[in-house]
Amino acid sequence: MKKNIAYLVAVLTVLSITVSVSAQGIKFEHGTFQEALDKAKAEKKLVFMDCYTSWCGPCKWLAREVFPQKEVGDYFNTAFINVKMDMEKGEGPALMKKYPEVKAFPTLLFLDADGKVLHVAVGGMEAKALITQAKKAADPMQRIDVVAKKYEDGDRSPELVAAYVEMLMLKMDEDKAKSVGKEYLSKLDPEGLLTKYNTKILMTI
């Protein structure tokens, strides 16, 4: 009897620790996508959406190894309303049509409370890199939509072009990234290529 009680206590202790650790990570909503948008609007937050599939290895790795980390939860739970969407079930297929940015898995979408895409990242990444992408989404000057508009309006500064190319590669829009990089580099003198940002563009494309 004593052994059974000791075993039960040990099991409950492990479960308690597991629950405690998982509670420190990202807290995902369990309602509809629209409910997440409504909550974001009410709380004046952005929306983070993990677009995944059941068969995606990097998706499972993120869910198991990265999302539960305390430092990730501390930032995401403060800045975002967080949702996970299986792109092959429930609302997933409709959201795939709504967001053509979802071309591979996992795709991590950062949205405003109206559902507009502010920033995109694709693939598994460590906690530090994930938080970096989230901070870019939270900073208007680092969002891909803002950077893209500046580029379309004629800004060809090395800093902006390098940032834009990097963002395009991150969202797996390789063709656009190469087009932007080559168009910019083609107008430079050979002597002007070997600078910090230009070298970064060369290495990217």
Side-chain angles (χ1 to χ4, degrees):
M1 184 67 177
K2 290 183 179 180
K3 288 184 179 180
N4 290 338
I5 293 175
Y7 176 76
L8 180 59
V9 170
V11 170
L12 291 175
T13 300
V14 170
L15 289 174
S16 176
I17 293 173
T18 302
V19 171
S20 176
V21 170
S22 64
Q24 294 176 347
I26 296 179
K27 298 176 183 177
F28 289 98
E29 301 294 316
H30 298 290
T32 66
F33 178 64
Q34 185 58 53
E35 286 171 345
L37 294 180
D38 292 342
K39 187 171 182 178
K41 190 169 292 186
E43 298 186 13
K44 294 181 172 55
K45 292 184 178 181
L46 302 179
V47 174
F48 167 65
M49 181 161 68
D50 170 31
C51 302
Y52 73 98
T53 65
S54 60
W55 47 262
C56 165
C59 302
K60 294 177 182 178
W61 179 81
L62 274 177
R64 182 181 67 251
E65 303 293 339
V66 180
F67 293 159
Q69 293 188 33
K70 183 179 185 302
E71 62 177 325
V72 176
D74 285 347
Y75 185 78
F76 275 74
N77 296 335
T78 299
F80 301 94
I81 297 301
N82 307 292
V83 292
K84 290 173 66 70
M85 289 290 175
D86 186 331
M87 292 292 104
E88 296 180 333
K89 298 177 182 178
E91 294 185 85
L95 289 171
M96 282 276 287
K97 293 180 180 179
K98 180 179 177 67
Y99 295 110
E101 293 85 356
V102 183
K103 301 174 183 177
F105 304 104
T107 292
L108 310 175
L109 295 182
F110 299 88
L111 316 167
D112 67 15
D114 293 318
K116 177 185 175 183
V117 175
L118 303 176
H119 192 65
V120 183
V122 179
M125 60 191 73
E126 298 286 351
K128 185 177 179 180
L130 179 61
I131 293 171
T132 295
Q133 294 306 316
K135 287 182 177 179
K136 286 183 177 181
D139 180 355
M141 300 312 298
Q142 295 191 67
R143 293 174 184 166
I144 191 170
D145 62 328
V146 175
V147 173
K149 185 175 188 309
K150 287 185 177 182
Y151 178 83
E152 297 301 330
D153 288 345
D155 189 337
R156 295 296 185 274
S157 63
E159 297 90 341
L160 183 123
V161 175
Y164 190 29
V165 168
E166 181 182 8
M167 290 176 181
L168 289 168
M169 290 297 288
L170 189 62
K171 64 177 286 193
M172 297 187 71
D173 195 345
E174 187 174 343
D175 291 340
K176 178 70 171 177
K178 289 183 176 181
S179 175
V180 169
K182 289 178 179 178
E183 184 268 341
Y184 166 76
L185 294 173
S186 68
K187 297 181 180 179
L188 299 179
D189 294 329
E191 294 180 357
L193 290 175
L194 299 180
T195 64
K196 174 183 176 182
Y197 292 105
N198 294 343
T199 300
K200 186 175 181 180
I201 295 170
L202 278 167
M203 293 178 64
T204 302
I205 67 171

